[in-house]
Amino acid sequence: MPELTPDDAFLTLYSDLAREGPGAAADLGWALSVAATPADARICDAGCGSGADTVTLAKERPKAQIDAIDQIAQFVAAAQKRTAPFGARVQVRQGDMAALSGPYDLIWCAGAVYFLGITEALRLWRDALAPGGAVAFSEPCLLARPSAAARAFWAEYPQITDVAGIRARVAAAGYRVLGEQMQIGAAWEAYYTPMSRRIASLRPGATGVLANALDEAEQEIARWKAAPSEIAYALMVVAPVDG
Ligand SMILES: C[S@@+](CC[C@H](N)C(=O)[O-])C[C@H]1O[C@@H](n2cnc3c(N)ncnc32)[C@H](O)[C@@H]1O
C-alpha cells in the first residue's frame, strides 16, 4: 500500500468524528438567544467541519435557512449526509468562508475564526450581515495567571490572547460585544473523548505518517488533561456598532 501523506493521515484521524473542535450543543442555544436570531433567520455555519453545529442550528431554528461552508471536501460530504434529513433549507458547500455573501442574521463560526484572524474575519463578514445581524464565534482564550501547562497547550498558537484582547480585536473591526461566555471542560470532552476512541481504533497496525499523526493527537490530549480547567475557548456574540 502506498505511504499516506500528512493530509491523508489527518483526514483518516478525523473521519467519523462527531466534531472537529471543542463545542457543546447548549452553547448554540445560548448564542442564538443572545443574538436574538429570529425563527425564520438566514444563518451561516462558517468552517462547519462535518456539520455537528449545523445540525444543532437546524434543530434550534426549524424554520431557518442555513448555509454551511467548509474548505475540506471530506467534511463537506459528511455534513451533507448528516443534514440531509432537513431537506433544502440546509445547504452545505465546499468553499472559502472568507468570501461569504449573505445576507445572514447570524454567522456562526466555531473554532475556525483563528484561520482568518478575529478582526479580519469580522471586517470580511460585515457586508454579509443583514440589518440587526450578529456573528458568534469561539476563539482560544488565556485565563488569568495561566500555568506553564496552559501555556504549553497553546504553544503553537502565539496569537492567543485573553478575553480583554479578544474584545479589543472585536472593537478594532467596528463591532460590539453582545455576550460572552467561556467554554471549559465539557466542550473539550465532547471533542477529545471521541478522538481518543478513534486513536485507539486506528493504533493497531498504524505506521509511518499515520502513527505520527496519532502520536501528535495523543500528545495534544495529554497536554489538555494536564490543565483542563485552564484550557478555554471564549464564545463571543458580537454585532457591528453601526448594524
Ligand atoms: C477546528 S475545525 C472546526 C469545525 C467545526 N466548526 C466544529 O466545531 O466541529 C475548523 C474548520 O474550519 C475549516 N476552515 C478553515 N479555514 C477555512 C476557510 N477559509 N474556509 C472554509 N473553511 C475553513 C477547516 O476546514 C475546519 O473544518
Side-chain angles (χ1 to χ4, degrees):
M1 212 165 78
E3 175 67 275
L4 294 179
T5 66
D7 280 355
D8 294 334
F10 169 84
L11 292 174
T12 301
L13 172 59
Y14 276 84
S15 71
D16 297 330
L17 285 188
R19 54 181 311 122
E20 288 71 41
D27 294 334
L28 281 118
W30 173 83
L32 287 161
S33 158
V34 170
T37 305
D40 61 351
R42 275 198 66 182
I43 298 173
C44 180
D45 186 355
C48 63
S50 63
D53 291 341
T54 320
V55 168
T56 306
L57 289 165
K59 288 181 179 164
E60 289 275 342
R61 287 291 182 276
K63 292 183 181 155
Q65 181 68 43
I66 300 169
D67 295 336
I69 181 166
D70 202 280
Q71 64 187 0
I72 296 181
Q74 177 174 313
F75 292 161
V76 170
Q80 285 171 336
K81 197 171 164 193
R82 282 170 101 171
T83 57
F86 299 104
R89 75 182 183 89
V90 179
Q91 297 286 327
V92 186
R93 68 179 173 87
Q94 188 176 10
D96 184 359
M97 67 179 180
L100 302 181
S101 45
Y104 294 113
D105 300 291
L106 180 72
I107 298 173
W108 168 262
C109 186
V113 148
Y114 57 76
F115 286 101
L116 302 177
I118 295 171
T119 307
E120 294 76 3
L122 293 178
R123 283 186 181 142
L124 284 168
W125 293 341
R126 176 64 189 90
D127 290 344
L129 286 177
V135 178
F137 68 90
S138 59
E139 167 73 8
C141 183
L142 275 186
L143 302 182
R145 295 178 295 283
S147 66
R151 290 198 180 276
F153 181 85
W154 293 117
E156 287 175 22
Y157 186 52
Q159 301 87 341
I160 192 167
T161 182
D162 58 11
V163 72
I166 293 174
R167 288 184 202 129
R169 290 174 190 175
V170 168
Y175 284 61
R176 67 199 163 93
V177 175
L178 303 180
E180 65 191 36
Q181 67 175 18
M182 292 295 152
Q183 296 178 302
I184 301 168
W188 294 78
E189 288 275 0
Y191 175 45
Y192 284 137
T193 301
M195 189 189 281
S196 293
R197 282 197 294 267
R198 180 86 181 131
I199 293 168
S201 76
L202 290 169
R203 182 63 80 183
T207 56
V209 177
L210 180 58
N212 291 343
L214 301 184
D215 290 347
E216 280 172 23
E218 245 171 15
Q219 287 156 14
E220 179 181 325
I221 295 169
R223 283 195 297 273
W224 171 69
K225 285 186 173 167
S229 62
E230 286 189 83
I231 307 302
Y233 268 3
L235 178 57
M236 310 291 294
V237 183
V238 305
V241 170
D242 62 359

